[in-house]
């Protein structure tokens, strides 16, 4: 829910963590023991999974937004532009019309 409303962004988290790991040269170092190597492999797996999760989340997040835009075309433009477009596309029925006859 927090991610859906833009409070927490998994992509941003991923983009902030990876540079720190690069700065620490986690994947370039060769001075780890067996447990360190195992932890690095687990970390690499977690980062790969997180990248896949980011892509999946973004697709899931964007799907309802795209549906809402299709249902409510006024969200693609300002309310004023939408209303003006609706008024211009209506046939002038004469009596009872909302348009002034000036």
């Amino acid at each position: 829910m927090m991610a859906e409303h833009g409070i927490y962004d998994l992509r941003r988290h991923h983009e902030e963590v990876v540079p720190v790991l690069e700065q620490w040269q986690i994947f370039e170092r060769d001075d780890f023991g067996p447990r360190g190597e195992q932890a690095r492999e687990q970390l690499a797996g977690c980062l790969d999974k997180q990248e896949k999760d980011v892509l999946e989340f973004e697709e899931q997040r964007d799907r309802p937004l795209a549906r809402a835009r299709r249902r409510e075309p006024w969200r693609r433009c300002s309310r004023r532009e939408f209303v003006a477009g609706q008024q211009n596309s209506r046939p002038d029925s004469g009596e009872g019309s909302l348009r002034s006859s000036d």
Side-chain angles (χ1 to χ4, degrees), residues 21-50:
L21 297 175
E22 289 172 356
Q23 183 180 7
W24 291 345
Q25 299 181 346
I26 295 295
F27 298 105
E28 291 82 18
R29 294 178 59 178
D30 61 0
D31 59 343
F32 289 126
R35 287 183 65 201
E37 288 292 333
Q38 184 180 13
R40 179 170 40 196
E41 288 173 15
Q42 289 175 343
L43 178 61
C46 287
L47 292 174
D48 289 341
K49 182 183 180 313
Q50 188 180 48

Side-chain angles (χ1 to χ4, degrees), residues 44-93:
C46 287
L47 292 174
D48 289 341
K49 182 183 180 313
Q50 188 180 48
E51 181 61 31
K52 291 174 186 171
D53 290 347
V54 165
L55 295 173
E56 183 179 320
F57 167 75
E58 288 175 342
E59 289 172 4
Q60 289 176 355
R61 178 197 62 200
D62 293 345
R63 240 179 267 136
L65 294 174
R67 264 194 311 271
R69 283 189 206 106
R70 285 192 301 274
R71 276 194 315 264
E72 301 169 359
W74 60 269
R75 290 192 185 272
R76 288 185 234 151
C77 58
S78 73
R79 182 88 173 138
R80 181 177 293 165
E81 291 169 334
F82 178 76
V83 170
Q86 291 295 100
Q87 288 176 348
N88 291 337
S89 66
R90 289 186 198 154
D92 190 4
S93 61

